Amino acid sequence: MKHCYVLGMLCLVLASCKKEAQPELTEHQHNSAVAAIHTESTQLLTEGLETGSKGAYASASVTLGSGSWTLDEALIGNSAADVKSGSQSARIRNTGSLSMNFNITAGDSTTIKIDHAKYGSDASSTWQLWISTNGGTSYTQVGSTITTSSSTLQTATFQVTNTGNIRLSVRKISGGTNRINIDNISVSTGTGGGTNPGGGTAGDDSHLLLGNPNGAVANITSPNNYLMDQTYYTIAYNRDRGTPNWVSWHIQSSDIGSTPRTNDFRADSALPSGWYQVQNSSYSGSGFDRGHNCPSGDRTSSTAANSSTFLMTNMIPQAPNNNQQTWEGLESYTRSLVSAGNEVYVIAGSYGTGGTGSNGGVTNTINNGNVTVPSNVWKIIVVLPNGNNDISRITSTTRVIAINTPNTNTINSDWKTYRTSVNSIETATGYSFFASIPATIRTALKQNVDNQ
């Protein structure tokens, strides 16, 4: 995770290129480095409108992926005329609004991004962003009034100087019965400061550079979407399932070395006090492998890097043939892309309940119900030639590989069989990917199915 950046800050060692290998960090260096990385950008909220349903304009609250929102003169639209990056977006008419019923905690230099477009063939409308700092008692407008005149998603960006608890309200203020679509609401906070010896934008090589798909937070009040920085990858852990919702990481040539596989599967002692810790032996006799999300083979630059991948918070119960054949093939192919002069951003996860392992029959849970067996395992890979300023280099033709496999032992060994679109994975999971990528590019990337 940006070792050149970290060592450049902490040790002032030579870092002439962001892609070169660096020695391991001391514990003090690591702790300081993590703090420095976190000051760049922390995702507070990501709402892609992919979960929840509301088919009428009458005011009502609906539970979305990030929490409860009130939609007044607004609904969740999924028709062909609704402009959206996944399968749904909010549709607002008259002087309707879309408002949070919960708080998020803003910090220095908070950035809010909202995608918007005209619905169908409707004429232009205008809208505003308002925020409340007192739990919804009163609101203040943020930034300027936005005109929605395009039939494709555009991104409006707002800067907030308030710190502490805030909640958002998107308010349509003109255009009468003309409707607008709102999608992909994201809130991030951080100073964006620090030094980047490689010359790229702040955040290059960060595991969450492309976004936080479901707004995971490092707060024990969110036990089933708990953000954990594992240094060599980042996860959104689900306490009740005993597995991660997703794991996100970056791979470059310096991550691939000659360190042998450590095989030190172990419980993750960094979980909050009182949470059940899945053990090394928890999958024994279940008929399922301890399936890595971030693979051991992607972290062979050092013993510490490889060992980190054997934490049980990085594992799911994976059908042996799914793990050892289909996914091994995709993982090896991904590393071959890195060897060929590319860097890749990867996010992998699972969803659903019920898989079929080597014991036969569908199994819903193992380890006395402490670990849920997923029905599906998915992965998204964004491929870039080595370079800097990664976000700015992503275009509508950037290669994106997305696959979604059943968690069964009768799976086809060829991963290419299971290629799909990012939109399809969003529909299945309710997540919203690529929040950091401009709207027009993001829309194109999500709908493509890789065929290389």
Side-chain angles (χ1 to χ4, degrees), residues 383-399:
V383 185
L384 287 173
N386 287 336
N388 297 313
N389 303 300
D390 292 346
I391 287 291
S392 67
R393 296 190 295 123
I394 297 175
T395 70
S396 58
T397 60
T398 293
R399 188 179 183 191

Side-chain angles (χ1 to χ4, degrees), residues 179-382:
R179 294 151 292 187
I180 62 172
N181 286 121
I182 297 293
D183 205 356
N184 299 314
I185 301 171
S186 69
V187 184
S188 60
T189 189
T191 64
T195 305
N196 187 356
T201 60
D204 266 9
D205 306 348
S206 165
H207 304 311
L208 292 181
L209 180 66
L210 303 187
N212 181 330
N214 63 345
V217 292
N219 192 312
I220 59 173
T221 61
S222 182
N224 295 328
N225 197 27
Y226 183 68
L227 191 69
M228 300 182 72
D229 183 342
Q230 306 289 51
T231 305
Y232 301 98
Y233 54 92
T234 299
I235 74 174
Y237 188 68
N238 191 309
R239 181 195 63 186
D240 291 352
R241 290 178 68 94
T243 62
N245 296 322
W246 51 261
V247 178
S248 188
W249 68 102
H250 172 263
I251 317 173
Q252 59 192 28
S253 59
S254 61
D255 293 314
I256 311 300
S258 57
T259 300
R261 182 180 170 99
T262 60
N263 264 335
D264 53 340
F265 292 94
R266 63 198 185 280
D268 192 338
S269 60
L271 287 171
S273 176
W275 288 20
Y276 179 78
Q277 295 183 10
V278 181
Q279 301 294 309
N280 167 38
S281 58
S282 292
Y283 291 22
S284 297
S286 68
F288 293 91
D289 285 359
R290 296 167 294 192
H292 286 68
N293 280 266
C294 178
S296 162
D298 288 0
R299 293 292 181 253
T300 53
S301 62
S302 69
T303 299
N306 192 257
S307 178
S308 75
T309 68
F310 288 91
L311 290 167
M312 292 303 294
T313 46
N314 185 42
M315 305 297 161
I316 59 169
Q318 195 167 3
N321 289 341
N322 184 306
N323 180 38
Q324 298 171 29
Q325 297 178 19
T326 313
W327 281 86
E328 168 56 31
L330 177 59
E331 291 164 5
S332 296
Y333 177 73
T334 303
R335 289 190 288 272
S336 75
L337 292 174
V338 175
S339 298
N342 299 290
E343 56 183 303
V344 296
Y345 288 89
V346 188
I347 184 165
S350 56
Y351 67 89
T353 301
T356 305
S358 59
N359 293 342
V362 176
T363 301
N364 291 331
T365 65
I366 62 173
N367 189 215
N368 297 317
N370 288 305
V371 179
T372 298
V373 179
S375 62
N376 287 74
V377 191
W378 55 268
K379 180 177 280 189
I380 297 168
I381 303 163
V382 177

Side-chain angles (χ1 to χ4, degrees), residues 12-61:
L12 299 178
V13 298
L14 181 63
S16 60
C17 174
K18 74 164 190 170
K19 308 300 180 192
E20 71 180 0
Q22 296 291 348
E24 290 184 45
L25 305 178
T26 66
E27 181 179 1
H28 170 73
Q29 288 171 332
H30 165 253
N31 292 338
S32 299
V34 169
I37 290 167
H38 284 175
T39 63
E40 285 184 2
S41 182
T42 300
Q43 199 79 15
L44 300 179
L45 179 141
T46 302
E47 181 51 68
L49 284 301
E50 293 302 304
T51 60
S53 61
K54 183 177 183 290
Y57 285 104
S59 180
S61 295

Side-chain angles (χ1 to χ4, degrees), residues 84-86 115 152-153 184 394-400 420-423 426 433-434 437-450:
K84 49 198 179 291
S85 62
D115 288 354
T152 60
L153 287 172
N184 299 314
I394 297 175
T395 70
S396 58
T397 60
T398 293
R399 188 179 183 191
V400 175
T420 186
S421 68
V422 174
N423 276 342
E426 284 191 334
F433 300 103
F434 304 161
I437 299 174
T440 53
I441 297 173
R442 176 170 63 238
T443 298
L445 293 180
K446 286 183 179 182
Q447 66 188 13
N448 293 338
V449 177
D450 179 66

